[in-house]
Amino acid sequence: MKKPYWIVLGITGAIATLLGYRAILAFLNLPSLLITIGGTCFVYSWQTVKDSWTAVRIVLGAELHSPQQQLAAITHLADLNRHGGLRALENYEAQLSDPLLRRGVSLLVDMRREEEVRAHVEHEFFLFSNQYKTARQVLLTMGKLLPAFGMAGTLIGLVLLLHQANAFDPQTAAPAFAVGSTTPYGVVLPTAFVLPLATKVQSFIKNREVSMHLILEGMALLARNETPKITQRYLTTLLVAEAREDDGIALQPVPGPLAHENK
């Protein structure tokens, strides 16, 4: 089991211990959950919700590679390519943990041209962006809709209570009170779960975008058989550019490696 799941289980166990099992059950009401969660999910198709949840699960269990790790891996590949050629890259391919980097090396080993490798990595980047950005947007929308449906459930409960205003019976009024408890769901669910997940997905997207950018340019450098020194210098420049963009500093396009540099 991945570490995030252990964390969730640990937090749940701690809350259960502090509040007690019966106290937790007192906050659970099936009609309220159906109104709040069901109404929110109904905005999207089942397939969209399913795909978004799959993306979230991948994010929670993903092993992120820092840009510095990617830079070091690509620089090492440039060294192998410079001294051992495609055979050295082929022998090292299985040791690469990043699937996109491994796929890019595989294309180079198969003697694919730089344009083909770049097109494949760009296609993978496009698919990635669509999948995870859609999941993030779904989470953000749910974070806005959950409070609204929570309030709607409370209004439904009030209407049911008003129908019993003339002949109030605690036994029959209890379900109406329960339905009227949807507002806490509309507040707790987005604040404690949905919006933090959206933030985590956004962080994952940014990390992966930087890594994919490095891989895209790194594969092009490998295809040109550039030296490890030039490869490291160029990719480091890209990382600096990415960091400045995050700080809101306008940048000029980063030039490619100079052809006249010593190899």
Side-chain angles (χ1 to χ4, degrees):
M1 186 178 292
K2 299 294 185 179
K3 184 177 180 180
Y5 294 106
W6 282 113
I7 295 174
V8 172
L9 287 177
I11 294 175
T12 304
I15 295 175
T17 302
L18 292 174
L19 297 181
Y21 180 71
R22 291 184 179 180
I24 293 177
L25 290 181
F27 288 93
L28 297 180
N29 180 260
L30 183 59
S32 298
L33 285 172
L34 289 177
I35 292 172
T36 309
I37 299 177
T40 302
C41 293
F42 188 73
V43 174
Y44 293 98
S45 66
W46 168 246
Q47 189 61 44
T48 301
V49 174
K50 182 180 177 182
D51 291 344
S52 299
W53 173 242
T54 300
V56 170
R57 288 178 57 192
I58 293 174
V59 170
L60 291 176
E63 180 183 355
L64 293 180
H65 299 83
S66 69
Q68 290 74 18
Q69 289 175 316
Q70 297 285 31
L71 188 152
I74 296 172
T75 302
H76 182 61
L77 289 172
D79 184 63
L80 290 175
N81 186 43
R82 192 71 176 177
H83 295 93
L86 295 179
R87 178 62 62 86
L89 291 180
E90 183 178 14
N91 293 335
Y92 191 75
E93 179 184 339
Q95 301 181 38
L96 296 172
S97 57
D98 190 301
L100 184 59
L101 184 57
R102 187 165 58 246
R103 177 60 178 158
V105 171
S106 177
L107 291 171
L108 289 175
V109 170
D110 292 340
M111 302 295 290
R112 300 294 181 91
R113 294 180 302 172
E114 177 183 339
E115 294 78 11
E116 293 181 85
V117 177
R118 180 178 288 274
H120 177 85
V121 177
E122 287 177 345
H123 179 67
E124 290 287 335
F125 179 76
F126 174 77
L127 295 178
F128 165 85
S129 297
N130 280 351
Q131 180 183 9
Y132 291 95
K133 288 183 178 179
T134 299
R136 176 178 175 271
Q137 188 57 49
V138 168
L139 290 172
L140 290 176
T141 302
M142 286 184 172
K144 296 176 182 178
L145 291 177
L146 281 168
F149 278 101
M151 184 59 68
T154 299
L155 294 177
I156 292 173
L158 290 176
V159 170
L160 294 175
L161 287 174
L162 287 175
H163 276 292
Q164 304 178 28
N166 292 330
F168 184 79
D169 182 2
Q171 295 295 328
T172 58
F177 277 116
V179 172
S181 66
T182 54
T183 299
Y185 292 119
V187 173
V188 173
L189 289 176
T191 305
F193 297 101
V194 177
L195 294 180
L197 283 177
T199 302
K200 188 170 183 61
V201 171
Q202 174 61 21
S203 177
F204 176 81
I205 291 172
K206 180 59 182 175
N207 177 278
R208 202 70 185 118
E209 282 181 343
V210 174
S211 293
M212 286 185 165
H213 193 189
L214 287 177
I215 292 172
L216 178 65
E217 298 302 328
M219 292 302 100
L221 294 169
L222 287 175
R224 301 175 204 155
N225 197 27
E226 294 287 0
T227 64
K229 182 179 179 180
I230 292 177
T231 299
Q232 184 179 35
R233 184 187 307 167
Y234 179 53
L235 296 183
T236 301
T237 303
L238 288 180
L239 282 182
V240 173
E242 292 283 351
R244 288 178 179 174
E245 283 183 338
D246 288 342
D247 292 336
I249 301 175
L251 295 171
Q252 298 297 325
V254 181
L258 299 178
H260 63 267
E261 289 199 46
N262 294 329
K263 299 186 177 181

